[in-house]
Amino acid sequence: MLSFYKKKVAGWNWYDLPEVISTNDTIKELSEKDLPAVVSAAKQSGGRGRRGRRWQAVSGNLYFTFSQSIPVSELSRYVCIIGLSMAKVIKKTAPKANIKLKWPNDVFLNGKKVTGILLENIKNNIWAIGIGVNIVGSPDIKDMPYQATSLKEEGIDTERTAFLEQYLEQFSSDLAQYEKEGFEPLRTEWLKFALNLGQEITIKNDEDIKTGIFLTLDEEGYLILKIDNKEERIIAGDLFI
Ligand code: BTN
Protein backbone atom coordinates (compact mmCIF):
# COMPACT_ATOMS: atom_id res chain seq x y z
CA MET A 1 0.00 0.00 0.00
CA LEU A 2 2.75 2.43 0.97
CA SER A 3 4.24 2.25 -2.53
CA PHE A 4 1.01 3.76 -3.89
CA TYR A 5 1.38 6.88 -1.72
CA LYS A 6 1.36 9.96 -3.95
CA LYS A 7 1.33 13.04 -1.73
CA LYS A 8 -0.71 15.08 0.74
CA VAL A 9 -3.58 16.93 -0.85
CA ALA A 10 -5.54 19.52 1.15
CA GLY A 11 -4.68 17.61 4.36
CA TRP A 12 -5.50 14.08 3.16
CA ASN A 13 -2.80 11.43 2.57
CA TRP A 14 -3.44 10.35 -1.02
CA TYR A 15 -2.96 6.79 -2.31
CA ASP A 16 -3.58 6.08 -6.01
CA LEU A 17 -3.91 2.35 -6.74
CA PRO A 18 -3.97 0.60 -10.13
CA GLU A 19 -6.99 -1.57 -9.29
CA VAL A 20 -9.35 -2.19 -6.36
CA ILE A 21 -12.70 -3.87 -5.79
CA SER A 22 -14.17 -0.74 -4.18
CA THR A 23 -12.31 2.33 -2.93
CA ASN A 24 -14.84 2.42 -0.07
CA ASP A 25 -13.46 -0.95 1.12
CA THR A 26 -9.82 0.06 0.66
CA ILE A 27 -10.27 3.20 2.79
CA LYS A 28 -11.70 1.07 5.58
CA GLU A 29 -8.56 -1.15 5.59
CA LEU A 30 -6.33 1.92 5.44
CA SER A 31 -8.16 3.88 8.09
CA GLU A 32 -6.88 1.50 10.75
CA LYS A 33 -3.45 3.03 10.16
CA ASP A 34 -3.70 6.32 8.33
CA LEU A 35 -6.21 9.13 8.78
CA PRO A 36 -7.25 11.35 7.12
CA ALA A 37 -6.66 9.57 3.83
CA VAL A 38 -7.96 9.49 0.29
CA VAL A 39 -7.82 6.44 -1.97
CA SER A 40 -8.31 6.59 -5.72
CA ALA A 41 -8.04 3.80 -8.27
CA ALA A 42 -7.55 3.63 -12.01
CA LYS A 43 -9.85 0.58 -12.09
CA GLN A 44 -12.65 -0.45 -9.78
CA SER A 45 -14.14 -3.91 -10.33
CA GLY A 46 -16.90 -3.95 -7.69
CA GLY A 47 -18.04 -0.36 -7.29
CA ARG A 48 -21.13 0.12 -5.14
CA GLY A 49 -23.87 2.69 -5.58
CA ARG A 50 -26.64 3.78 -3.24
CA ARG A 51 -29.47 1.39 -2.30
CA GLY A 52 -27.48 -1.72 -3.23
CA ARG A 53 -26.96 -0.66 -6.84
CA ARG A 54 -23.71 -1.19 -8.76
CA TRP A 55 -21.49 1.62 -9.96
CA GLN A 56 -20.17 0.56 -13.34
CA ALA A 57 -16.55 1.16 -14.26
CA VAL A 58 -15.33 2.95 -17.38
CA SER A 59 -11.58 3.22 -17.88
CA GLY A 60 -10.34 6.79 -17.30
CA ASN A 61 -13.17 7.74 -14.94
CA LEU A 62 -12.53 8.81 -11.36
CA TYR A 63 -13.25 6.56 -8.37
CA PHE A 64 -12.17 7.80 -4.98
CA THR A 65 -13.01 7.66 -1.30
CA PHE A 66 -11.79 9.91 1.48
CA SER A 67 -12.17 9.67 5.22
CA GLN A 68 -13.86 12.44 7.11
CA SER A 69 -14.81 12.94 10.72
CA ILE A 70 -18.44 14.09 10.88
CA PRO A 71 -20.38 14.76 14.09
CA VAL A 72 -23.62 12.76 13.87
CA SER A 73 -25.79 15.84 14.36
CA GLU A 74 -24.19 17.46 11.29
CA LEU A 75 -24.29 14.51 8.90
CA SER A 76 -27.11 15.80 6.68
CA ARG A 77 -25.40 19.18 6.25
CA TYR A 78 -22.12 17.50 5.31
CA VAL A 79 -23.99 15.34 2.77
CA CYS A 80 -25.18 18.54 1.08
CA ILE A 81 -21.77 20.27 1.26
CA ILE A 82 -20.04 17.24 -0.31
CA GLY A 83 -22.32 17.53 -3.36
CA LEU A 84 -22.13 21.32 -3.43
CA SER A 85 -18.32 21.25 -3.62
CA MET A 86 -18.59 18.90 -6.60
CA ALA A 87 -21.08 21.17 -8.40
CA LYS A 88 -18.75 24.15 -7.79
CA VAL A 89 -15.67 22.38 -9.18
CA ILE A 90 -17.53 21.47 -12.37
CA LYS A 91 -18.89 25.03 -12.62
CA LYS A 92 -15.36 26.45 -12.35
CA THR A 93 -14.18 24.26 -15.26
CA ALA A 94 -17.27 24.92 -17.36
CA PRO A 95 -18.98 28.17 -16.28
CA LYS A 96 -21.70 27.91 -18.95
CA ALA A 97 -22.70 24.31 -18.23
CA ASN A 98 -26.10 23.56 -16.71
CA ILE A 99 -25.16 22.00 -13.36
CA LYS A 100 -27.79 20.82 -10.91
CA LEU A 101 -27.83 19.09 -7.55
CA LYS A 102 -30.46 16.41 -7.15
CA TRP A 103 -31.14 16.21 -3.41
CA PRO A 104 -29.22 15.22 -1.47
CA ASN A 105 -26.04 15.16 -3.54
CA ASP A 106 -26.23 13.67 -7.05
CA VAL A 107 -24.71 16.01 -9.61
CA PHE A 108 -26.44 16.44 -12.95
CA LEU A 109 -24.80 18.03 -15.96
CA ASN A 110 -26.99 19.17 -18.85
CA GLY A 111 -29.84 16.99 -17.53
CA LYS A 112 -27.83 13.79 -17.05
CA LYS A 113 -26.11 12.27 -14.02
CA VAL A 114 -22.34 12.78 -13.96
CA THR A 115 -21.39 12.06 -10.34
CA GLY A 116 -22.56 9.69 -7.63
CA ILE A 117 -21.73 9.85 -3.92
CA LEU A 118 -21.94 7.04 -1.35
CA LEU A 119 -21.34 7.60 2.36
CA GLU A 120 -20.56 4.60 4.55
CA ASN A 121 -19.64 4.59 8.21
CA ILE A 122 -16.13 3.39 9.09
CA LYS A 123 -16.38 3.66 12.87
CA ASN A 124 -17.77 6.15 15.39
CA ASN A 125 -17.77 9.56 13.69
CA ILE A 126 -15.47 8.55 10.84
CA TRP A 127 -17.11 8.24 7.43
CA ALA A 128 -15.99 6.91 4.05
CA ILE A 129 -17.10 9.36 1.38
CA GLY A 130 -16.99 7.50 -1.93
CA ILE A 131 -17.34 9.48 -5.13
CA GLY A 132 -17.55 8.36 -8.74
CA VAL A 133 -17.09 10.99 -11.45
CA ASN A 134 -17.67 10.18 -15.10
CA ILE A 135 -14.62 11.90 -16.57
CA VAL A 136 -14.35 10.32 -20.01
CA GLY A 137 -17.29 7.96 -20.44
CA SER A 138 -20.69 7.05 -19.06
CA PRO A 139 -22.28 3.65 -18.60
CA ASP A 140 -25.59 2.72 -20.22
CA ILE A 141 -28.13 2.93 -17.42
CA LYS A 142 -31.23 0.95 -18.19
CA ASP A 143 -33.09 0.73 -14.91
CA MET A 144 -33.07 4.39 -13.85
CA PRO A 145 -35.38 7.25 -14.85
CA TYR A 146 -32.44 9.36 -16.08
CA GLN A 147 -29.43 9.03 -18.36
CA ALA A 148 -25.77 9.30 -17.48
CA THR A 149 -23.15 11.49 -19.09
CA SER A 150 -19.47 12.31 -18.65
CA LEU A 151 -17.53 15.56 -18.47
CA LYS A 152 -15.92 14.68 -21.81
CA GLU A 153 -19.26 14.04 -23.52
CA GLU A 154 -20.36 17.52 -22.40
CA GLY A 155 -17.19 19.13 -23.78
CA ILE A 156 -15.19 19.36 -20.53
CA ASP A 157 -11.66 18.03 -20.82
CA THR A 158 -9.97 16.99 -17.61
CA GLU A 159 -7.97 14.11 -16.14
CA ARG A 160 -9.05 12.03 -13.14
CA THR A 161 -6.19 12.80 -10.73
CA ALA A 162 -6.17 16.55 -11.50
CA PHE A 163 -9.92 16.62 -10.92
CA LEU A 164 -9.58 14.77 -7.60
CA GLU A 165 -7.12 17.39 -6.36
CA GLN A 166 -9.44 20.23 -7.39
CA TYR A 167 -12.33 18.55 -5.61
CA LEU A 168 -10.49 18.05 -2.32
CA GLU A 169 -9.23 21.66 -2.36
CA GLN A 170 -12.79 22.89 -2.94
CA PHE A 171 -14.32 20.64 -0.26
CA SER A 172 -11.67 21.67 2.23
CA SER A 173 -12.35 25.35 1.52
CA ASP A 174 -16.15 24.86 1.78
CA LEU A 175 -15.66 23.02 5.07
CA ALA A 176 -13.51 25.88 6.41
CA GLN A 177 -16.31 28.30 5.46
CA TYR A 178 -18.87 26.07 7.20
CA GLU A 179 -16.79 26.00 10.38
CA LYS A 180 -16.37 29.80 10.32
CA GLU A 181 -19.74 31.04 9.08
CA GLY A 182 -22.14 28.15 9.64
CA PHE A 183 -24.38 26.37 7.13
CA GLU A 184 -26.46 29.33 5.91
CA PRO A 185 -24.18 30.65 3.10
CA LEU A 186 -23.66 27.09 1.82
CA ARG A 187 -27.39 26.33 2.03
CA THR A 188 -28.04 29.43 -0.11
CA GLU A 189 -25.44 28.28 -2.65
CA TRP A 190 -26.87 24.74 -2.63
CA LEU A 191 -30.38 26.09 -3.38
CA LYS A 192 -29.05 27.92 -6.47
CA PHE A 193 -28.07 24.53 -7.90
CA ALA A 194 -31.20 22.67 -6.72
CA LEU A 195 -32.92 20.47 -9.30
CA ASN A 196 -36.75 20.60 -9.30
CA LEU A 197 -36.97 23.32 -6.63
CA GLY A 198 -40.56 24.64 -6.48
CA GLN A 199 -41.83 21.67 -8.50
CA GLU A 200 -43.84 18.58 -7.68
CA ILE A 201 -41.52 15.73 -6.76
CA THR A 202 -41.79 12.25 -5.27
CA ILE A 203 -39.46 10.97 -2.57
CA LYS A 204 -39.09 7.24 -2.12
CA ASN A 205 -37.32 5.67 0.82
CA ASP A 206 -37.40 2.34 2.64
CA GLU A 207 -40.52 3.33 4.61
CA ASP A 208 -42.76 5.16 2.16
CA ILE A 209 -43.37 7.27 -0.93
CA LYS A 210 -44.32 10.95 -0.62
CA THR A 211 -45.34 13.43 -3.31
CA GLY A 212 -45.44 17.19 -2.83
CA ILE A 213 -43.85 20.50 -3.77
CA PHE A 214 -40.11 20.83 -3.12
CA LEU A 215 -40.15 24.02 -1.01
CA THR A 216 -36.60 24.36 0.24
CA LEU A 217 -33.65 22.85 2.07
CA ASP A 218 -33.80 23.57 5.80
CA GLU A 219 -31.01 24.61 8.16
CA GLU A 220 -30.16 20.95 8.86
CA GLY A 221 -29.87 20.02 5.15
CA TYR A 222 -33.24 18.21 5.08
CA LEU A 223 -35.68 18.58 2.20
CA ILE A 224 -38.93 20.41 2.95
CA LEU A 225 -41.89 19.03 1.05
CA LYS A 226 -45.29 20.73 0.98
CA ILE A 227 -48.02 18.10 1.09
CA ASP A 228 -51.69 19.21 1.32
CA ASN A 229 -50.64 22.62 2.65
CA LYS A 230 -48.50 21.10 5.39
CA GLU A 231 -44.72 21.17 5.46
CA GLU A 232 -42.92 17.86 5.94
CA ARG A 233 -39.26 17.36 6.65
CA ILE A 234 -37.68 14.60 4.56
CA ILE A 235 -34.56 13.09 6.09
CA ALA A 236 -33.60 10.47 3.48
CA GLY A 237 -34.70 9.06 0.17
CA ASP A 238 -34.41 9.19 -3.61
CA LEU A 239 -35.99 12.06 -5.52
CA PHE A 240 -38.12 11.40 -8.62
CA ILE A 241 -40.29 13.67 -10.76
C1 BTN B 1 -24.67 6.45 -6.40
O1 BTN B 1 -24.98 7.45 -7.06
O2 BTN B 1 -25.41 5.45 -6.37
C2 BTN B 1 -23.39 6.46 -5.63
C3 BTN B 1 -22.24 5.95 -6.44
C4 BTN B 1 -20.91 6.00 -5.71
C5 BTN B 1 -19.79 5.39 -6.51
C6 BTN B 1 -18.44 5.61 -5.88
S1 BTN B 1 -17.12 5.18 -6.96
C7 BTN B 1 -15.97 5.32 -5.66
C8 BTN B 1 -16.64 4.73 -4.42
N1 BTN B 1 -16.43 3.29 -4.36
C9 BTN B 1 -17.57 2.61 -4.48
O3 BTN B 1 -17.67 1.36 -4.45
N2 BTN B 1 -18.60 3.46 -4.63
C10 BTN B 1 -18.17 4.85 -4.59
Side-chain angles (χ1 to χ4, degrees), residues 29-141:
E29 291 155 26
L30 190 68
S31 67
E32 295 298 323
K33 306 164 209 120
D34 193 356
L35 279 178
V38 53
V39 170
S40 57
K43 285 189 187 161
Q44 181 175 251
S45 57
R48 294 193 288 278
R50 293 177 64 218
R51 305 197 172 271
R53 292 189 282 260
R54 282 195 61 220
W55 186 260
Q56 295 176 44
V58 174
S59 176
N61 282 352
L62 173 62
Y63 316 100
F64 72 105
T65 303
F66 61 101
S67 58
Q68 178 66 43
S69 163
I70 307 179
V72 72
S73 58
E74 293 173 49
L75 187 60
S76 50
R77 294 190 196 133
Y78 271 73
V79 166
C80 294
I81 298 168
I82 290 160
L84 174 64
S85 304
M86 181 57 72
K88 285 163 77 172
V89 171
I90 301 175
K91 187 89 189 157
K92 277 184 184 165
T93 357
K96 290 200 179 121
N98 173 18
I99 298 151
K100 292 283 177 197
L101 279 164
K102 181 157 99 54
W103 184 83
N105 60 16
D106 275 345
V107 183
F108 275 62
L109 177 57
N110 300 332
K112 298 171 196 165
K113 179 161 164 169
V114 69
T115 298
I117 298 173
L118 175 70
L119 267 78
E120 293 178 331
N121 189 252
I122 299 180
K123 60 176 174 188
N124 307 323
N125 281 348
I126 310 293
W127 289 80
I129 299 165
I131 306 189
V133 185
N134 295 337
I135 300 279
V136 294
S138 53
D140 245 341
I141 316 184

Side-chain angles (χ1 to χ4, degrees), residues 144-163:
M144 296 304 279
Y146 51 75
Q147 289 175 288
T149 192
S150 63
L151 297 178
K152 189 171 181 185
E153 283 161 85
E154 303 303 322
I156 305 168
D157 265 323
T158 183
E159 185 273 332
R160 64 174 190 96
T161 57
F163 190 88

Side-chain angles (χ1 to χ4, degrees), residues 15-16 20 23 59 74 77 82 84 110 115 117 132 149 164-165 201 206 215 220 225:
Y15 297 82
D16 188 39
V20 297
T23 52
S59 176
E74 293 173 49
R77 294 190 196 133
I82 290 160
L84 174 64
N110 300 332
T115 298
I117 298 173
T149 192
L164 179 151
E165 288 196 62
I201 57 163
D206 293 337
L215 280 189
E220 303 284 335
L225 203 57

